[in-house]
């Protein structure tokens, strides 16, 4: 690898790390932000708005892919992802100085959601630019290895955000952190932004784009050419369904759903949860480069689809083992304590609530949601006309339509054997290095396996996407399927999985969402996605001219 090639990879990767750091900060601090920016509302409404703002960052990513992908194919890779990092870094810094709702009222949450939308748009344009830029500098036969460094950036950004949050909490204390310390990680982004901009200003434009621009063979209408012509659109569709869709759910399950499952389902405290995830990321992240390099030897498809298949086959045993180690008392309760919801099933809703705005008020929904939040396994007994009630170990019914339902349910569950909040069997780390005991060591091992699956599906994905499309529409074409897959299929995973748990009463049932999608990707990928490792990514640039369009065409 030449000095110039190392510079290209460092500049692209480091800037993208900082962008992912900015993006993940909100997810990690959503509860604290909700308390500061939506404080004029009741707690439940406050959390709804916090989740809405978080969801906005995911849902707009495909639109950012279109906006900045088009710009990247029209004016160049370098200038486009210079713009995206300025938007991302600037938005994050403004969150750190934004007055709370106690100071400026309703304008605080409005501005916050606008900033989140800007972050999502910027992130939608960042990844495609960085991956395309590196791939177009990489020598033939080494694109998987070179672009694998871009793939580390999302995990590195998450890791960096977790570390900054943890050390800030330790430095200022929990009370000060809730009051003002949460701003520190956001404010630090200005330094990261300055470094990123300085590095990217030193970069040259992609040689492939410069050559294409000089010859006048670049696309005048990237969006129309990429998605308005079936020969290109079908490739993007198969890339989404046969590669990115499965990659997204495996990635989000291994890093985000594991975090959610330990914290919300297994009731592990936030410090321990974050440290276990951080150690697994540290131990497993080398797999991004390993599998990127290996994909240059044996192909992109065997590794990506193999990772999807392995994940689908092993998620249930791994998550059940995670339960046994992280919270043995809860795992025992799941297997020994019988809980039923007695209700008329026609009154129950499927509690899919990705933006946090829906309200479920039927007694059946209240009962199911309460049990799901308490991590209780239960079955449903359909009794037409019955008002929902909960029966524990065959005992008396606890009606769900009374004001005291939550308190009565909690007492009854504890009396039956479900662990209380002071449960001594749950894993708890006393320091970042308290991992040399059985519980944390086994959990780090399980989580590291999940991260290795992530590295298998994610390490080669940039190279695979770059190689599917010609230079003149590459930025646009690869960005949209990537961000639909990761922003929607992946970003909606926690909400979908929770709805599935609440619907069925099985704390593991939410795993069927990533399993089914991963298996579908394996089938579609095998039959409809070509292997690309030996593709000459510039062949199409000379084999055919871009589709001629009138001067008025601007897409």
């Amino acid at each position: 690898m030449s000095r110039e090639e190392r510079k290209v990879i460092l500049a692209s990767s480091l800037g993208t790390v900082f962008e992912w750091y900015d993006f993940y900060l909100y997810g990690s601090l959503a509860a604290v932000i909700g308390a500061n920016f939506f404080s004029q509302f009741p707690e439940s409404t406050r959390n709804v708005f916090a989740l809405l703002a978080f969801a906005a960052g995911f849902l707009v990513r495909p639109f950012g892919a279109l906006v900045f992908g088009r710009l990247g194919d029209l004016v160049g890779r370098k200038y486009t992802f210079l713009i995206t990092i300025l938007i991302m870094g600037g938005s994050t810094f403004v969150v750190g100085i934004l007055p709370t709702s106690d100071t400026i009222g309703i304008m605080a949450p409005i501005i916050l959601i606008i900033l989140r939308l800007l972050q999502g748009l910027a992130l939608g344009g960042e990844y495609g630019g960085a991956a395309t830029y590196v791939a177009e500098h990489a020598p033939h036969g080494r694109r998987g290895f070179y672009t694998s460094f871009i793939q580390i950036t999302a995990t590195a950004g998450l890791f960096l955000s977790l570390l900054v949050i943890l050390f800030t909490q330790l430095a200022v204390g929990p009370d000060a952190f809730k009051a003002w310390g949460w701003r520190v990680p956001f404010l630090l982004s200005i330094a990261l932004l300055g470094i990123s901009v300085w590095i990217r200003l030193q970069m040259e434009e992609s040689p492939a784009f410069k050559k294409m621009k000089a010859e006048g063979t670049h696309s005048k209408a990237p969006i129309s050419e990429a998605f308005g012509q079936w020969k290109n659109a079908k490739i993007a569709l198969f890339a989404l369904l046969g590669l990115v869709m499965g990659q997204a759910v495996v990635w989000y399950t291994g890093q985000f759903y594991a975090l959610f499952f330990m914290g919300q389902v297994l009731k592990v405290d936030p410090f321990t949860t974050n440290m276990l995830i951080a150690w697994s990321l540290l131990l497993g992240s080398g797999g991004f480069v390993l599998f990127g390099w290996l994909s240059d030897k044996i192909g992109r498809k065997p590794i990506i689809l193999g990772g999807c298949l392995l994940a689908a086959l092993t998620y249930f045993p791994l998550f059940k083992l995670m339960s046994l180690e992280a919270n043995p008392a809860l795992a025992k309760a799941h297997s020994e304590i019988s809980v039923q919801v007695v209700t008329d099933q026609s009154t129950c809703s499927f509690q899919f609530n990705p933006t946090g705005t829906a309200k479920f008020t039927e007694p059946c929904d209240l009962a199911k949601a309460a049990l799901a939040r308490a991590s209780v396994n239960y079955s449903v007994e359909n009794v037409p006309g019955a008002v929902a009630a909960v029966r524990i170990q065959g005992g008396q019914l606890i009606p769900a339509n009374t004001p005291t339902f939550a308190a009565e349910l909690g007492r009854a569950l504890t009396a039956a054997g479900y662990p209380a909040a002071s449960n001594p069997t749950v894993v708890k780390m006393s320091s970042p290095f308290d991992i040399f005991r059985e519980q944390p060591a086994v959990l780090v091992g399980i989580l590291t396996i999940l991260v290795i699956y992530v590295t298998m599906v994610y390490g080669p994905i940039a190279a695979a996407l770059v190689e599917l499309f010609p230079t003149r529409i590459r930025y646009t074409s690869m960005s949209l399927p990537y961000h639909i897959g990761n922003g929607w299929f992946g970003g909606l995973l926690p909400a979908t999985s929770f709805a599935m748990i609440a619907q069925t009463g099985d704390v593991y049932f939410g795993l069927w969402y990533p399993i089914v999608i991963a298996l579908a990707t394996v089938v579609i990928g095998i039959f409809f996605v070509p292997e690309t490792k030996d593709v000459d990514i510039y062949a199409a640039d000379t084999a055919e001219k871009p589709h001629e369009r009138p001067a008025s065409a601007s897409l």
Side-chain angles (χ1 to χ4, degrees), residues 417-441:
Y418 266 88
S422 58
N423 171 20
T425 71
V426 69
V427 63
K428 186 174 181 63
M429 292 176 63
S430 58
S431 73
F433 299 99
D434 182 22
I435 59 168
F436 302 104
R437 296 179 291 113
E438 180 190 350
Q439 268 187 304

Side-chain angles (χ1 to χ4, degrees), residues 283-306:
L283 294 172
S285 291
F288 289 111
V289 177
L290 170 64
F291 290 115
W293 168 81
L294 189 60
S295 76
D296 287 328
K297 310 300 180 184
I298 67 173
R300 321 302 184 203
K301 279 176 57 175
I303 297 174
I304 295 172
L305 301 184

Side-chain angles (χ1 to χ4, degrees), residues 70-80 83 205 209 213:
R70 172 181 176 272
L71 192 63
D73 283 327
L74 286 174
V75 303
R77 286 61 163 124
K78 171 187 172 179
Y79 295 106
T80 301
I83 293 171
E205 182 55 84
F209 183 84
K213 190 85 170 178

Side-chain angles (χ1 to χ4, degrees), residues 189-402:
S189 68
I190 196 67
L192 303 180
L193 174 63
I195 295 170
S196 300
V197 170
W198 179 78
I199 291 174
R200 290 192 173 184
L201 284 172
Q202 315 304 310
M203 298 161 64
E204 297 292 335
E205 182 55 84
S206 157
F209 183 84
K210 286 197 294 187
K211 180 175 182 293
M212 185 181 63
K213 190 85 170 178
E215 294 173 350
T217 58
H218 64 289
S219 176
K220 303 299 191 297
I223 295 177
S224 298
E225 188 174 345
F227 308 115
Q229 299 178 26
W230 177 239
K231 66 175 183 177
N232 293 325
K234 70 179 180 181
I235 299 174
L237 180 63
F238 290 142
L240 169 63
L241 301 179
L243 291 175
V244 182
M245 183 174 71
Q247 167 261 302
V249 296
V250 172
W251 179 29
Y252 274 78
T253 301
Q255 292 189 359
F256 300 106
Y257 189 67
L259 193 71
F260 166 84
F261 190 81
M262 282 202 302
Q264 301 301 313
V265 177
L266 302 182
K267 309 304 181 186
V268 179
D269 70 90
F271 176 82
T272 301
T273 298
N274 287 335
M275 288 313 308
L276 291 171
I277 292 289
W279 274 108
S280 70
L281 295 177
L282 186 64
L283 294 172
S285 291
F288 289 111
V289 177
L290 170 64
F291 290 115
W293 168 81
L294 189 60
S295 76
D296 287 328
K297 310 300 180 184
I298 67 173
R300 321 302 184 203
K301 279 176 57 175
I303 297 174
I304 295 172
L305 301 184
C308 288
L309 184 60
L310 279 173
L313 295 176
T314 59
Y315 273 162
F316 275 114
L318 286 174
F319 274 81
K320 287 182 179 180
L321 180 59
M322 190 189 302
S323 298
L324 286 170
E325 286 293 336
N327 196 334
L330 181 61
K332 182 180 178 183
H334 286 159
S335 62
E336 296 181 356
I337 299 173
S338 170
V339 179
Q340 295 88 33
V341 175
V342 180
T343 187
D344 183 344
Q345 287 194 356
S346 65
T347 66
C348 303
S349 304
F350 183 68
Q351 299 182 46
F352 178 64
N353 191 14
T355 61
T357 56
K359 294 182 180 180
F360 302 99
T361 57
E362 289 290 332
C364 175
D365 298 330
L366 296 176
K368 286 185 171 185
L371 291 169
R373 285 193 298 269
S375 304
V376 175
N377 271 352
Y378 62 89
S379 59
V380 179
E381 180 182 340
N382 185 35
V383 178
V387 175
V390 176
R391 179 189 290 125
I392 302 172
Q393 293 288 72
Q396 291 186 335
L397 291 172
I398 305 172
N401 61 344
T402 65

Side-chain angles (χ1 to χ4, degrees), residues 18-19 22 82-91 93 187-199:
F18 295 160
E19 283 217 64
D22 290 347
L82 192 58
I83 293 171
T84 61
I85 202 164
L86 284 168
I87 293 173
M88 175 68 80
S91 300
F93 179 75
L187 295 175
L188 284 176
S189 68
I190 196 67
L192 303 180
L193 174 63
I195 295 170
S196 300
V197 170
W198 179 78
I199 291 174

Side-chain angles (χ1 to χ4, degrees), residues 81-164:
F81 67 17
L82 192 58
I83 293 171
T84 61
I85 202 164
L86 284 168
I87 293 173
M88 175 68 80
S91 300
T92 304
F93 179 75
V94 173
V95 172
I97 62 173
L98 183 63
T100 66
S101 57
D102 288 339
T103 305
I104 60 174
I106 195 65
M107 288 304 299
I110 290 174
I111 295 172
L112 180 67
I113 291 175
I114 291 172
L115 293 171
R116 284 295 297 163
L117 291 170
L118 289 173
Q119 285 183 321
L121 288 170
L123 189 57
E126 168 64 25
Y127 175 83
T132 299
Y133 188 83
V134 171
E136 290 178 350
H137 279 84
H140 183 73
R142 301 204 74 193
R143 281 188 296 270
F145 175 66
Y146 277 48
T147 58
S148 67
F149 290 93
I150 294 293
Q151 305 311 98
I152 298 176
T153 59
T155 297
L158 172 61
F159 185 77
L160 181 61
S161 68
L162 290 176
L163 285 184
V164 171

